[in-house]
Structure formats: C-alpha cells, structure tokens
Amino acid sequence: MVNKVVVVGSESEWIGSIAKAVHNTPEDVALVLAKHGIRAQSTPPRAKKVAFSSLSFSGVRKGTDFDGPFTFDWNELGPGLWAVMSDRNHRGKSSVMNILSATLRGEFPGKIKADVWKWLDTLQVEFRIENTDYRTLLKKAAGVEDTAKIEALLSRKHGDTWVDLYAGSAGADLQAQTENLFLEELGFTKIHGANQNGTTFAHSWAAIASALSITSASNGKALFGEILMDGLPLRLLQLFIGLPWISTMTAAATAVKLIDLETKRKESTPDHFAGARARLRKLEDEIAKVRADADTGDQRRKVREDIAALDQSLAEAHRSIVSYRNEADVLARRATEIAEIAQDAAQLLQQLKDEQDAGYVFRKLRPVCCPSCETPVTTRQQKNEDETGCPLCKIELPVSQDPIGERVRVAQSNHDDAAQALKSALKNSNRAKEALENAESKKSSIEAQIAALVPELDAPASDPALKLLELEASARELRGLLSESPEEPAVAVHPDKKILDAAVKITKPMFEELQTSILHDLSVAIKDLAAKFGVQNLAKMSLDGAGRLKIIQGDADIYFSDLTEGERLRVKIAAALAAVEVSRNRGLGRHPGLLMLDSPGKEEVASEDFQEMLLSVSNVTKDMGGVQVIIGTVYRNELEGVIPMSNRRRAENGGYLF
C-alpha cells in the first residue's frame, strides 16, 4: 500500500478561507469560532502505546468452600498475545480481566464481582503509556466495600522512584484523575455533540476505554465501544483512525445543529426575557474572549508538570542532605580525634621544653662547696680523669641514653604533623558543613516553589480556567431559565450561522478524501479478519461516512446490527484489530494498541475457527509490534502453539486462579 501524502492547511489559512467566504475579517471569524469552542486540528495525531506491565492482588476469601487468604501475581507483561485461562468456567479469569478494565478506567469496583471486591485487601496494577511507567495501588481491609474508605494512589515512575499524581479515596476523584492522565498523555479530547432535542452531551475516557475491552456478555450492537447512542461508534472510529480536521469539523457541525434547533423553536411572540438573552449573549462573547486569549488547560497542565518535577527535585535534595549530613558527622568526629592528638603532642613538647630549660639553669650554677657534705668543689683539672660521680657529693650519675635535645626535636616534628592534620580535617569538616547548608537551602527553596505553585491549582480569581468556569456556569443558569420561558422571537438568521456554515463547508473537504480512502482500507481489513475468525459467507464489507458497517452476506444486504451475537463479537474483534493495523500502516491513527478480550470463544465459535482467530490475533500483534492483546478464556487444546507458555496464567485441574 502506498500512503497518500496528507496535505493540510494552517490555522491562519483555514480562518482566512472562512473569512473570505463570508466577506468578514479573520479576527471576527476567530472570535465566533472560539465562542463555539471550535479549534483547528490540522496536524495528524501520533499514536501512543498503552500496555499493562504487571498485576498483583491479595485478600481473604470468605463464604466459599475454600475460605482463607489468597494472592495473585502476574508480572513482566508486555506487547504480544497474553492469556489468563482455566479448565472450567467461574474460576476467576473474568475477575482478572475486570480488574484490568477497572484500572484502565480508574473506576472501582466497576465490573468486578461484589464478592471478589469485598475479599480484596491490596491491588496493584502497573501499566505503561509510551515509555513512561504508571501504577494504580489500592489498599483496604478485607470486607470493606465503600470506595470512600479505600486508600488509592496513582503514581508515575521517575527513575527508581514513584511520584504520586493522586493520593486519596478510590472513588470519583481517582476516576477523574485517571481520566485526565489518559486524555492528556494520549492526546484525546472529550467527545461533544448534541441530539435532536438540542441537549448537549460529552463522552470522555470511559467511553473511549470501552472500545478497548470486548466481552461476550456485552451483546451490544455498536461496532466500536459499548454505547450506540449519540453517534458514539462513529466518533470513536474517527478518533482511532486519527484524521486531521475531524474534531474541528465535528465541533462546527454540532454548533450549526444547535443553532438550527434553536431557530426552529423560536416563535413570533413578545419577548419578555430580552434582558436575560442579552446577558447570555454578552456572557457568550466573554467566554469567547477568554478562550481566545488563553488555552485554559495548558496553564493547569504546566503547573502539574512543574510540581511533579519539583517533587522529584525535592526527593533528590533530601537524599543529598542525608548524604552530606553523614559526611559532615564523620569529618567532625575525625577532626575531634585529630584535635585530641594534636593537644597531646603540644603538651609533650611543652613538657620536654620545660625539662630542657631546667637543665640549662642547673648547669649555669657554680657551687663552691657541696650543700650535703660541705666539701670544697675543685675544678675539672683538679678532679681525677676517671671520676664519674657528682663533683659535689661524689654520687655516681647514670649516663643518659636519650639526650633531651633529640627528644624535643622529635616531639616538635610530631606536633607540627598533628597541627597540619588538624588544619586539613577542620577544612574538610567546614566544607562538608557548607555543602550541607547549601543542600538544606536548596531544599527550602524547592519547598517554597512548590508552596507557591500549589495555590494555582486551587483556581485563583485571576486563573483563566476559573474565569471560564464562572462564565459558563452563569451562562448555563441563564440557558436553564430561558428553556422554561417563551422562545425568543424568530430572527431571519442567527448572527453566527453564516460563519459556522462556511466553517463546515470549508473543513469537510480537507479530510473527506482521506477518510474515504482509510475507510476502504479498514473495510477490507475487517472483512479479511472476520472471515478468518469464522464469520461465514462474507462477500463484502464497507464502512460509510456515518460509521455504519454494510455487509453482503450470503447474497443479502445487511448491517452489523443484523448479525448474530457470535458474529457481532467476532466482527468487533476484527474491527478493533483492523483499526490498529490500518492506523499503523498509514502512520495516522492513534489507537493505543491495547485490546482485552473476555471469553471470545464462548459465542458458538468452532474449535478450528477459535484457533484461526487466535492465530490471526497473534500474527497481527507480531506484525504491528507494540500491540498488547490479553484474552480471558477457558483452556482449549487449540491454544497450544498459539500462546507461549510464558504468556499464560492457567488454573489447571478445575482449580482457581486465586
């Protein structure tokens, strides 16, 4: 396949084309587009891979024939085909799959069975988004079910350290933080739209994640995901194939639809709510200006990233302080010991010098008689040459073997060495203390920076995000008031409709040809995979621009919803893998490359079809690389040779997985 070169215009060119079409200024066009939340998305997004790395949980089983503590560990997961299986049903494989699904959504207990949820006391799931590791950790006492009483952590790995992005209960706040993490990391946005009644809706990460998990029990008629309403399957398809300008087109079309519905509801009656409507229009203009001035999401996202980086720096500073403190203590003790040695050397030197001075004084004395015996003292010439005693009392004196001068010299040398060693030790100790003080000062500085940033997350009055929230809240109140009031008198044309119609008309051709080409490749891939998975008598499949899968089966024209439950399951699996395959081949899509299949062989899948389906899944994962598929299934012989032993967790001989 030869990939087409995607030619897209810049945001300024797009706005300029709309302005030219409506004979208006680019500034006015930009203001109207901002008021309706329409932004240029001209760059094809890049897919980021998501994969589970490990799963572990423990608890205490109660109310069964096998009561007691249990543990489950499944480590070193990565890309490829993985399976959790048992020889019989109801042995825990769906619970493992449901725990992974709940972690992906941040929604606990989700589909985890009530008894299993009650048994658990610890749950940790590690996963990777592109090249960054994350984990969800839950701690609770066995028997506790209330998520408000469960401790939850959502963390990102930095080196060998986990940096907590969220710490709190396992309820709605954890789900919101998980949603924000995946939306920001994968570059997804909430899916907005409006139904025929004019009611707006927004589907977020939970709806997107539903398309990554396929179960035999879903019985859904949606090709992608689990929700058929609001055109969500088509929106998910467009999201995964990653067309440029598609979100721009959708937002513009939704705005036009809302204006058309508003126009139809208006009646030619006196308007007693003109003031409220004028206030609403003023609020909408203010909202547009705030959106045009700043991307309110970027500021908060940058603050969170700065705090996370500072948290890491704070941990490093703390480690440095501990190291410097230990070094300073060691050097201080060493300096004290050397000071004691230097003091001893000084005392010895002084003692020897005192002895030397005393001897000098005595040698200077010239006695004339002995104070003991009063014998006259003669000169040396008068003494006998062999006389060795005292010239005064004739007492024999010992000959000194250690002259005092030599001892003084040695003591002086030792004292000098000790003094030099003390000087060096004090210098090293002072340097260590200075390093410790600098590290503590750096730590205090980082703490001050964090303390200064934290209030920004509390949305101060100057924060554009808070300003936008306040304005939108006021606008919603006015819309609610006006929804109960007589309609505004009909006007010929909404002031923004001309610009919005032009935006739809100009944006649609920018991706339509590419979408048609991608949908053709996707249709072919779905048909080929579905046939391998055992769907019989397929002649043709084609996805249209509305997201409907048209099928020619056995010479009959049908749609995806007309298939049997077993056929729908296999086609859903084929569609998910085809979206990944086509996106990766073209380099445009952003399917995260994760797929979870629970009991895919349950819906009347023959053994040979089941084996062929798993072989196809395995080959697709190998060919594309970086794709992770996790299957929960009852063990079949057909699994041999398809799933490596290292990629399995199996409960054998009728046993339980945990």
Side-chain angles (χ1 to χ4, degrees), residues 69-91:
F70 65 85
T71 59
F72 180 89
D73 293 290
W74 198 11
N75 301 313
E76 298 182 357
L77 281 75
L81 181 60
W82 301 78
V84 54
M85 61 185 78
S86 59
D87 292 349
R88 295 171 56 187
N89 284 316
H90 309 297
R91 290 298 184 267

Side-chain angles (χ1 to χ4, degrees), residues 142-172:
V144 173
E145 299 176 271
D146 186 358
T147 55
K149 300 178 181 179
I150 299 173
E151 178 186 354
L153 294 174
L154 178 63
S155 310
R156 176 172 56 219
K157 197 168 190 180
H158 185 85
D160 295 328
T161 305
W162 287 107
V163 179
D164 292 336
L165 306 179
Y166 169 82
S169 69

Side-chain angles (χ1 to χ4, degrees), residues 74-85 629-631 642-650:
W74 198 11
N75 301 313
E76 298 182 357
L77 281 75
L81 181 60
W82 301 78
V84 54
M85 61 185 78
V629 180
I630 303 176
I631 299 176
V642 178
I643 303 177
M645 292 294 295
S646 59
N647 289 21
R648 306 183 195 177
R649 284 302 304 271
R650 177 184 174 188

Side-chain angles (χ1 to χ4, degrees), residues 173-360:
D173 290 339
L174 173 62
Q175 183 177 357
Q177 190 65 34
T178 302
E179 175 181 285
N180 291 336
L181 170 65
F182 278 99
L183 290 180
E184 290 186 9
E185 289 294 323
L186 300 180
F188 289 151
T189 58
K190 293 182 179 180
I191 300 175
H192 297 273
N195 58 27
Q196 293 297 327
N197 297 323
T199 303
T200 59
F201 61 85
H203 295 288
S204 192
W205 171 244
I208 299 171
S210 69
L212 308 180
S213 180
I214 300 175
T215 69
S216 61
S218 62
N219 293 327
K221 294 187 177 182
L223 182 61
F224 289 92
E226 300 174 350
I227 302 173
L228 194 58
M229 61 183 295
D230 299 332
L232 194 59
L234 171 62
R235 303 292 294 278
L236 289 173
L237 171 62
Q238 293 172 334
L239 189 71
F240 287 149
I241 62 179
L243 292 172
W245 295 106
I246 191 66
S247 62
T248 305
M249 170 66 186
T250 302
T254 300
V256 170
K257 184 177 181 180
L258 288 173
I259 287 178
D260 290 342
L261 290 171
E262 180 184 350
T263 302
K264 290 179 181 178
R265 288 196 306 265
K266 292 183 179 183
E267 300 174 355
S268 56
T269 57
D271 186 10
H272 301 290
F273 294 85
R277 291 191 173 92
R279 173 59 181 157
L280 178 59
R281 284 192 289 270
K282 184 177 179 181
L283 284 172
E284 289 174 341
D285 289 340
E286 290 184 47
I287 290 171
K289 290 179 181 179
V290 172
R291 284 177 172 165
D293 289 342
D295 185 344
T296 57
D298 286 347
Q299 182 178 351
R300 288 182 171 277
R301 184 160 51 251
K302 186 177 184 303
V303 170
R304 286 194 295 270
E305 290 173 354
D306 290 346
I307 290 177
L310 288 171
D311 283 339
Q312 180 61 31
S313 298
L314 185 62
E316 293 173 356
H318 180 71
R319 288 193 293 270
S320 297
I321 288 173
V322 173
S323 176
Y324 287 139
R325 183 175 289 118
N326 292 338
E327 183 181 3
D329 290 343
V330 170
L331 291 176
R333 287 196 299 271
R334 187 177 299 169
T336 300
E337 293 170 356
I338 294 175
E340 293 175 354
I341 295 173
Q343 184 178 3
D344 292 343
Q347 290 176 348
L348 177 60
L349 177 61
Q350 187 61 44
Q351 180 181 348
L352 292 174
K353 285 184 176 180
D354 290 344
E355 292 178 6
Q356 187 180 45
D357 291 342
Y360 176 78

